[in-house]
Amino acid sequence: MDNGMTVVLLEKLSDGQLRKIDERPWTRDMMNALHHVNYLTVGAKEYETIEGRLNVEQGAVELLLVPVRKEKQPILL
């Protein structure tokens, strides 16, 4: 039975340091969605996915994110 995988989200700060913003198990469907998305929303904040790596020692995927700067005008759908 596949229970998914642990995903660690790391924000790259302006000074180059990394800050862990989230860590939780993702389902297989969520992992598959990474093939189609470039942006993630966590805690009502939007991030752009820069790169990812598989941490074999911890059995986790680590995603490097940078915050998206919001434009002053809202996007209308």
Side-chain angles (χ1 to χ4, degrees):
M1 180 157 81
D2 179 25
N3 293 327
M5 178 169 269
T6 298
V7 175
V8 179
L9 302 179
L10 301 166
E11 178 181 2
K12 185 171 183 179
L13 303 173
S14 59
D15 64 3
Q17 295 198 20
L18 302 178
R19 178 176 72 94
K20 183 171 23 172
I21 58 174
D22 193 67
E23 180 176 350
R24 69 178 84 180
W26 282 23
T27 64
R28 182 184 297 254
D29 288 339
M30 291 173 71
M31 293 297 295
N32 288 337
L34 285 175
H35 296 288
H36 306 284
V37 299
N38 296 318
Y39 298 89
L40 301 174
T41 303
V42 180
K45 191 171 180 183
E46 189 173 12
Y47 296 91
E48 182 177 3
T49 305
I50 301 301
E51 62 183 45
R53 70 178 177 181
L54 177 62
N55 184 325
V56 176
E57 298 297 321
Q58 294 183 5
V61 170
E62 299 171 344
L63 297 176
L64 183 60
L65 311 171
V66 292
V68 173
R69 295 180 188 194
K70 294 286 186 179
E71 298 201 19
K72 294 184 181 184
Q73 296 181 3
I75 298 173
L76 302 175
L77 299 177

